Amino acid sequence: GGLAALVANLDIYQATYIYKAPVITGSTTVCSGQTTTLTAALAVGETVNWYSAATGGASLASTAAFTTPALTTGTTYYVEVTRNGCVNSERNPVLVTVNNPIAPASVVASPANICSGDTTTITVQSPVVGTTYNWYDAASNGNLLFTGTSYTTPNLTAPVTYYVEAVIGSCLSAARTQVNVNINPQPSVPVPVSSNVIIQSGQSVMLAVTSSPGIGYTWYDAPTGGTILEPTSSTYTPTPALTANKTFYVVVVDLAT
């Protein structure tokens, strides 16, 4: 009986307490500039303090629910539980991840200058792993055209500006990157000096179209596909000399584009 009474009256000094970490609810992933509210599930007799450091520092809040300030980088908070007046010997960390997608610095259209009726492919240079890219027809709002790192345009007949934004989860980049696609008009159909040339069998002849500065003329032996007979000149002399009727075809090329 005496031993039991002695033990019952002992005070334990410098004892440490390690409690199970409380369950934390609330979003631990936010977009840059957002706040979040973290809530610790406390048992009867428990109180809590929130800190920004694992040891020391000033208490940020002494309620179960703690609302962070607006965050721009990932931040770890620490929750310290006190049970019936006894402070937990360690603080439990709570990491809040901040997603901050950045619009791509470089977006390249290849080619950037196309002929009317052609398409081009626009590509994000050095895409970031874990980031999604959305393509739009406006700097804000607008129509979502495509999701991915490369966007192939439809056939274009006028200059167009496209915009791409970066996305991580539900977080969007603050701005969209702009890329311009230039459209060069189709050159005029070539005008033959003479559309029908009559020669004797085996006679040499020079065929010609009216030339314009900065324009090249490609001669073919077929209306589509076929063999290139002359790559750039406005004139062409068939070789060998013709011994039968023959039709030749000319495609106009804008040498500036």
Side-chain angles (χ1 to χ4, degrees):
L3 179 58
L6 178 62
V7 172
N9 288 285
L10 282 177
D11 290 323
I12 303 177
Y13 295 98
Q14 297 181 345
T16 60
Y17 302 86
I18 299 178
Y19 304 138
K20 181 180 179 180
V23 173
I24 305 297
T25 57
S27 178
T28 55
T29 299
V30 298
C31 302
S32 181
Q34 291 183 340
T35 68
T36 185
T37 297
L38 307 173
T39 302
L42 302 177
V44 176
E46 291 183 338
T47 58
V48 68
N49 278 287
W50 295 86
Y51 292 89
S52 60
T55 59
S59 173
L60 304 175
S62 57
T63 53
F66 164 59
T67 299
T68 72
L71 301 175
T72 56
T73 59
T75 304
T76 300
Y77 294 99
Y78 298 86
V79 59
E80 179 184 83
V81 174
T82 298
R83 181 179 296 168
N84 298 320
C86 298
V87 179
N88 195 5
S89 61
E90 61 183 21
R91 297 173 183 173
N92 301 112
V94 181
L95 172 63
V96 179
T97 300
V98 176
N99 288 329
N100 186 23
I102 305 298
S106 178
V107 180
V108 175
S110 181
N113 299 295
I114 61 175
C115 296
S116 179
D118 288 348
T119 69
T120 188
T121 298
I122 313 170
T123 303
V124 173
Q125 306 297 296
S126 303
V128 177
V129 175
T131 299
T132 300
Y133 297 93
N134 287 335
W135 300 82
Y136 289 88
D137 56 5
S140 61
N141 299 320
N143 298 304
L144 175 62
L145 305 175
F146 182 73
T147 297
T149 56
S150 292
Y151 169 57
T152 298
T153 70
N155 300 90
L156 301 175
T157 57
V160 180
T161 299
Y162 293 102
Y163 303 85
V164 58
E165 71 181 6
V167 182
I168 300 177
S170 61
C171 304
L172 310 178
S173 56
R176 295 173 181 173
T177 300
Q178 174 180 318
V179 58
N180 300 318
V181 179
N182 301 314
I183 308 298
N184 298 309
Q186 293 282 6
S188 300
V189 174
V191 178
V193 173
S194 178
S195 58
N196 290 288
V197 179
I198 300 174
I199 61 172
Q200 295 182 0
S201 178
Q203 180 183 347
S204 178
V205 64
M206 183 178 72
L207 307 175
V209 294
T210 303
S211 64
S212 299
I215 299 297
Y217 303 87
T218 305
W219 295 74
Y220 290 88
D221 59 0
T224 59
T227 302
I228 295 177
L229 305 174
E230 162 56 47
T232 59
S233 176
S234 63
T235 63
Y236 168 62
T237 300
T239 303
L242 300 175
T243 57
N245 292 346
K246 179 70 175 178
T247 300
F248 297 93
Y249 303 86
V250 184
V251 172
V252 178
V253 179
D254 187 341
L255 300 178
T257 59

